[in-house]
Amino acid sequence: MNNLKLSLPKPKTQLSLTLLSLLLMFPGLNSCTNGDNNPTQTPVIPETEIDLPEQRFLEFPGWLGFGTKVQQNGVSEFPFSPTSGEAQIAMFSEQWSLVDPGTPLVAIAPGMREEVTLRRWQNEPYGCDDSPTPMATFNASQTFPEGAVWVLPPSQGDAATALPLETLPLDRIPEGVLRRDPPDPMQIRAWEAGETLIVLEQTSEKSAMLTVADNAGTNLYTNPVEILSMPGSYEEPIDFSRPVQPGIPEPIGAFQFQNNPVPLLVFWRPSFEGHSFEALVPRSDRLESIDVGSVYYCAF
């Protein structure tokens, strides 16, 4: 991974998050590998796309962006959403600094696929203090929803489809996915994206289990998560009735790539001073967790 030297305001506490390279959305590699660690041939990049930022996993072409909100104090679906009255999509990224404004790309979100253009790359105000944060912003002819937006090179514009994330009722979770019998509805959050299920089940006062399964109940991925605490300032138990809790992840995007039955899933994980993002990338025999990066938002 390339090291970046970013000029960000010094956070007010030691818990500040470093703006990582999701900021690079998957730093580029010269080749990619499949789940069996056998090298695969790097796809040929059209000459017209050579100047686009590199993509680390070329079997999943593209970059992660976010739908913007228009007003700083307006109603927001997600606390991390960038604000822009002119751009419809934004990326926290250093990679687009050498790409010409007006460069065409394709962006997808649930029910949407359209050509977009790079508006500009520069430091944009972000967070409660309007901290200058490197961003690439994009223009589209229509408003994209807040949350994850996948941006594709034009030659790969049909390579993926964005799946809607919908709340999954408790009675539709297959047998064997939940750990408690009978389950406690107050301790479970669940979503579905196509034929993939995402379940977050509380296992103790401060921990939960994240499970991804198919709609037959076969587990594809499990990982324990814990709520973050700050002694003397924040020591709360998990409470799924609250929309945001530090350390507790939430799926914000699902992208189905061709010839792969399991979508690439994007998760948001809030912290005390910022937001982290990770992707669950489908491999031949598993889902692999990739740390996409973190961005500073506001001192706790």
Side-chain angles (χ1 to χ4, degrees):
M1 180 178 291
N2 297 328
N3 293 322
L4 301 180
K5 296 182 179 180
L6 303 178
S7 298
L8 295 177
K10 185 176 181 181
K12 299 177 183 177
T13 80
Q14 293 182 348
L15 290 172
S16 65
L17 298 172
T18 302
L19 182 62
L20 302 177
S21 51
L22 152 95
L23 307 180
L24 288 182
M25 186 44 202
F26 301 145
L29 297 180
N30 292 327
S31 62
C32 55
T33 60
N34 61 24
D36 298 322
N37 295 320
N38 295 321
T40 58
Q41 184 176 1
T42 301
V44 176
I45 300 175
E47 185 175 352
T48 56
E49 299 176 6
I50 289 177
D51 292 334
L52 293 178
E54 290 182 299
Q55 304 153 73
R56 181 175 180 183
F57 299 104
L58 292 177
E59 70 269 38
F60 304 106
W63 307 267
L64 174 64
F66 300 95
T68 62
K69 63 178 182 177
V70 177
Q71 298 178 354
Q72 181 69 37
N73 297 319
V75 177
S76 178
E77 183 174 358
F78 297 111
F80 61 78
S81 295
T83 301
S84 177
E86 299 176 340
Q88 286 69 50
I89 301 169
M91 292 182 192
F92 304 107
S93 177
E94 285 267 356
Q95 286 187 297
W96 295 81
S97 60
L98 301 179
V99 180
D100 292 334
T103 295
L105 299 123
V106 174
I108 61 173
M112 301 177 65
R113 182 187 309 272
E114 75 160 89
E115 182 175 296
V116 301
T117 56
L118 176 65
R119 176 172 171 259
R120 69 186 183 191
W121 176 90
Q122 69 173 34
N123 284 336
E124 305 281 356
Y126 181 71
C128 62
D129 296 323
D130 286 338
S131 302
T133 303
M135 286 190 208
T137 54
F138 302 81
N139 287 128
S141 63
Q142 58 183 319
T143 300
F144 273 73
E146 289 183 47
V149 175
W150 202 266
V151 179
L152 293 153
S155 66
Q156 298 289 319
D158 294 326
T161 299
L163 303 178
L165 278 163
E166 300 177 342
T167 300
L168 180 66
L170 186 63
D171 60 5
R172 288 184 51 206
I173 299 176
E175 184 178 352
V177 174
L178 296 176
R179 294 172 172 268
R180 294 187 179 182
D181 186 17
D184 184 347
M186 299 299 294
Q187 296 183 338
I188 297 169
R189 296 188 69 191
W191 304 262
E192 61 180 340
E195 298 182 356
T196 300
L197 314 180
I198 304 162
V199 178
L200 194 60
E201 182 180 12
Q202 186 172 352
T203 53
S204 71
E205 183 180 66
K206 295 190 175 182
S207 64
M209 182 65 70
L210 174 65
T211 301
V212 179
D214 62 24
N215 58 6
T218 302
N219 284 359
L220 305 174
Y221 176 87
T222 57
N223 188 52
V225 298
E226 292 186 357
I227 191 169
L228 299 179
S229 63
M230 185 182 295
S233 298
Y234 187 93
E235 298 179 80
E236 299 290 335
I238 290 177
D239 182 354
F240 285 154
S241 67
R242 299 180 182 180
V244 180
Q245 288 197 289
I248 302 302
E250 178 178 339
I252 58 170
F255 303 95
Q256 188 92 53
F257 285 80
Q258 294 175 355
N259 303 320
N260 204 311
V262 181
L264 183 153
L265 301 173
V266 179
F267 287 82
W268 156 58
R269 194 186 299 255
S271 187
F272 289 111
E273 296 191 337
H275 306 284
S276 297
F277 304 91
E278 63 184 298
L280 290 184
V281 180
R283 302 303 188 195
S284 62
D285 59 348
R286 69 193 190 284
L287 285 172
E288 180 183 1
S289 176
I290 304 295
D291 180 10
V292 182
S294 304
V295 61
Y296 171 74
Y297 188 87
C298 191
F300 180 71

